[in-house]
Amino acid sequence: MSEEINIDTQELGEKIVKILKTIYDPEIPVDIYELGLIYDVFVNEANDVKILMTLTSPNCPVAETLPVEVEEKVKTIDSLNDVEVEITFDPPWTQELMSEEAKLELGLL
């Protein structure tokens, strides 16, 4: 039985990542996942989700709206119960957190 749960949470994790890849930072033409703004995604057995994320800076113009957008879009997955988005600036975001794809897109490679 526990194997099924693992597969389900892994599948849910993949669905969540797919959704996160549709959300973009308005100032940078790269999705928030590839930018490295998502630090962790936790899915428990009750299908509650907690997303730990950061912003490119504490003064980010979307500091109020981006976490809400993340929460609302992830909540569209039917099998989820609760979605919580927590913002952290520890560790602070740096360009080093970006994927190779994002760096390439922004001409940093």
Side-chain angles (χ1 to χ4, degrees):
M1 183 70 185
S2 63
E3 272 186 42
E4 280 183 34
I5 290 172
N6 290 341
I7 292 167
D8 288 348
T9 52
Q10 186 178 349
E11 272 180 32
L12 280 173
E14 288 169 11
K15 284 183 180 176
I16 293 165
V17 167
K18 264 187 196 161
I19 287 177
L20 295 173
K21 287 185 172 194
T22 68
I23 304 170
Y24 285 78
D25 184 298
E27 297 177 341
I28 307 169
V30 175
D31 70 75
I32 61 172
Y33 190 82
E34 297 295 337
L35 270 179
L37 297 182
I38 305 299
Y39 284 168
D40 222 331
V41 176
F42 305 97
V43 182
N44 69 14
E45 276 105 24
N47 289 353
D48 295 328
V49 176
K50 182 173 182 183
I51 297 171
L52 186 62
M53 67 176 289
T54 193
L55 302 167
T56 50
S57 84
N59 304 325
C60 182
V62 291
E64 299 297 315
T65 57
L66 194 60
V68 173
E69 181 182 357
V70 168
E71 185 177 322
E72 286 174 355
K73 286 195 174 173
V74 171
K75 276 184 178 172
T76 63
I77 299 172
D78 290 339
S79 48
L80 296 181
N81 289 324
D82 189 42
V83 177
E84 179 190 343
V85 176
E86 184 181 323
I87 298 291
T88 183
F89 292 102
D90 182 27
W93 180 85
T94 66
Q95 289 185 357
E96 297 304 308
L97 295 170
M98 292 167 52
S99 70
E100 296 292 311
E101 185 181 307
K103 289 177 185 173
L104 195 62
E105 176 81 27
L106 297 175
L108 300 173
L109 283 181

